[in-house]
């Protein structure tokens, strides 16, 4: 039997503090005072019999007991939210919404085609697609703000409570504009320091792959790095100058096919990693979500079959 002392506000407050790693930020987002947040967390800890947060310098961090509870608290809120949405949609005669988190590599390569197929199914479901760093999207998935994340497989420690379905694998490329001086060949990596380099941010999922590749090829640190996960900025900046863009192949596949951008002739096969669908392990997809997942599989399959 569920302890009657546990209320929805306990779960909402706990999840928000865990997400923000700050009582002050959580209080602002929940529109309550900081003392109210602190009191709610203490009430939750009294029920659980363990501390869910602990001090970490001037901030706080979640305890191992808190990590265990977070998985279930997030799932409980997600289930409640889905239930409310389902009733609301049923009353309105509409399908439940579909909320997707897409990494840049699939936002340009997979999602446009998948959405065209999905719209052809006429499910009537509203679709929300957001992009961002993998860690941010996974956190939104964990607490139920997203139903599905599409992109590279995260590190094992980030996949607790999630399931992953592999679609295809892709590598990282060093991309430049057509006619770039480096395309003439000759000691490409040794000459890299002469140009601005767009690097994936430290929180991005491909950053470790890139760093390992550079170190293995004798480059401990890039001379002129600009960290970004914005494909719009990267595309514009590289087209207008001599910058080198280190990015997942899927983000620039269309630009390379059109001849606007080009990949430097480097063997980056060691940066290859799996791309697929990540969901909460305990989630049951709605019919519209299941249909969208199938259209994503269809488009991904077509890409892997193309020469």
């Amino acid at each position: 039997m569920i302890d009657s002392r546990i209320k929805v506000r306990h779960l909402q407050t706990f999840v928000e503090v865990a997400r923000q790693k700050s009582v002050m930020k959580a209080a602002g987002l929940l529109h309550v005072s900081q003392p109210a947040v602190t009191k709610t967390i203490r009430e939750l800890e009294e029920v659980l019999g363990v501390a869910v947060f602990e001090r970490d310098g001037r901030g706080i961090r979640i305890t191992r007991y808190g990590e265990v509870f977070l998985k279930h608290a997030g799932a409980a809120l997600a289930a409640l939210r889905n239930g409310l949405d389902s009733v609301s949609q049923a009353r309105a005669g509409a399908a439940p919404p579909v909320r997707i988190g897409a990494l840049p590599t699939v936002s340009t390569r997979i999602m446009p085609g998948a959405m065209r197929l999905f719209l052809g199914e006429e499910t009537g479901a509203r679709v929300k697609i957001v992009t961002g760093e993998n860690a941010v999207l996974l956190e939104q998935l964990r607490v139920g703000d997203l139903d599905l994340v599409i992109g590279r497989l995260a590190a094992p420690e980030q996949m607790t409570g999630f399931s992953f379905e592999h679609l295809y694998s892709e590598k990282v490329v060093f991309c430049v504009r057509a006619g770039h001086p480096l395309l003439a060949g000759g000691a490409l990596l040794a000459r890299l320091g002469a140009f601005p380099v767009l690097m994936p941010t430290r929180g991005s999922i491909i950053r470790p792959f890139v760093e390992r590749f550079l170190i293995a090829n004798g480059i401990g640190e890039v001379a002129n790095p600009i960290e970004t996960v914005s494909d719009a900025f990267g595309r514009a900046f590289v087209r207008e100058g001599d910058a080198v863009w280190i990015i997942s192949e899927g983000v620039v596949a269309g630009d390379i096919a059109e001849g606007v951008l080009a990949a430097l002739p480097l063997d980056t096969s060691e940066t290859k990693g799996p791309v697929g669908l990540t969901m909460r392990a305990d989630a049951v997809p709605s019919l519209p979500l299941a249909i969208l997942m199938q259209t994503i599989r269809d488009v991904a399959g077509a890409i892997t079959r193309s020469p």
Side-chain angles (χ1 to χ4, degrees):
M1 180 179 293
I2 298 175
D3 195 310
S4 60
R5 292 175 292 173
I6 293 286
K7 310 296 183 185
V8 172
R9 64 180 175 86
H10 291 112
L11 302 183
Q12 290 176 318
T13 302
F14 167 69
V15 168
E16 201 58 58
V17 173
R19 179 194 291 177
Q20 301 299 328
K21 299 180 177 61
S22 166
V23 169
M24 180 179 68
K25 292 180 180 179
L29 290 169
L30 294 168
H31 304 293
V32 297
S33 67
Q34 292 184 48
V37 170
T38 300
K39 179 183 178 183
T40 300
I41 294 299
R42 286 177 178 169
E43 290 174 353
L44 176 63
E45 290 177 331
E46 287 178 6
V47 175
L48 296 176
V50 294
V52 292
F53 296 107
E54 60 188 6
R55 292 193 176 278
D56 182 23
R58 294 185 177 181
I60 61 171
R61 65 181 177 187
I62 194 167
T63 66
R64 64 188 183 94
Y65 296 110
E67 288 282 5
V68 171
F69 188 66
L70 179 60
K71 171 186 172 183
H72 301 287
L77 286 176
L80 179 58
R81 187 180 295 110
N82 288 340
L84 294 172
D85 286 345
S86 296
V87 171
S88 177
Q89 295 296 327
R91 291 180 62 187
V98 178
R99 302 160 301 175
I100 306 296
L103 270 68
T105 184
V106 297
S107 293
T108 54
R109 195 178 196 185
I110 300 293
M111 290 309 298
M115 280 303 303
R116 283 193 291 271
L117 293 175
F118 178 75
L119 291 174
E121 296 292 334
E122 299 183 348
T123 65
R126 292 180 293 108
V127 178
K128 176 182 178 182
I129 301 175
V130 298
T131 60
E133 291 188 349
N134 192 65
V136 175
L137 295 181
L138 287 181
E139 184 59 29
Q140 292 178 354
L141 177 65
R142 190 182 303 278
V143 301
D145 290 341
L146 293 175
D147 303 307
L148 176 73
V149 169
I150 316 163
R152 276 213 179 200
L153 174 63
E157 61 271 18
Q158 294 179 295
M159 289 300 293
T160 302
F162 295 135
S163 63
F164 180 81
E165 177 185 338
H166 178 262
L167 296 176
Y168 62 94
S169 295
E170 72 174 8
K171 61 185 178 180
V172 170
V173 295
F174 286 60
C175 189
V176 295
R177 63 169 175 81
H180 192 283
L182 285 176
L183 291 172
L188 298 181
L189 291 176
R191 296 163 59 198
L192 196 63
F195 306 95
V197 178
L198 299 186
M199 288 276 290
T201 60
R202 296 191 181 278
S204 68
I205 197 166
I206 64 171
R207 179 63 177 254
F209 292 86
V210 172
E211 290 181 336
R212 284 194 292 269
F213 175 82
L214 292 173
I215 292 171
N217 286 276
I219 301 177
E221 187 173 344
V222 174
N224 301 301
I226 301 171
E227 295 191 1
T228 182
V229 291
S230 171
D231 56 312
F233 167 74
R235 185 170 287 105
F237 191 69
V238 170
R239 284 183 176 184
E240 295 172 3
D242 287 339
V244 179
W245 190 9
I246 305 177
I247 190 66
S248 293
E249 185 179 32
V251 177
V252 291
D255 304 272
I256 292 174
E258 293 170 3
V260 178
L261 301 180
L264 294 179
L266 296 168
D267 181 8
T268 58
S269 56
E270 65 190 79
T271 65
K272 185 172 287 189
V275 176
L277 310 175
T278 301
M279 293 184 63
R280 293 186 302 277
D282 58 351
V284 178
S286 64
L287 179 58
L289 177 58
I291 292 173
L292 180 55
M293 290 171 66
Q294 187 56 52
T295 67
I296 292 169
R297 295 185 189 103
D298 292 342
V299 173
I303 288 174
T304 57
R305 290 191 297 271
S306 63

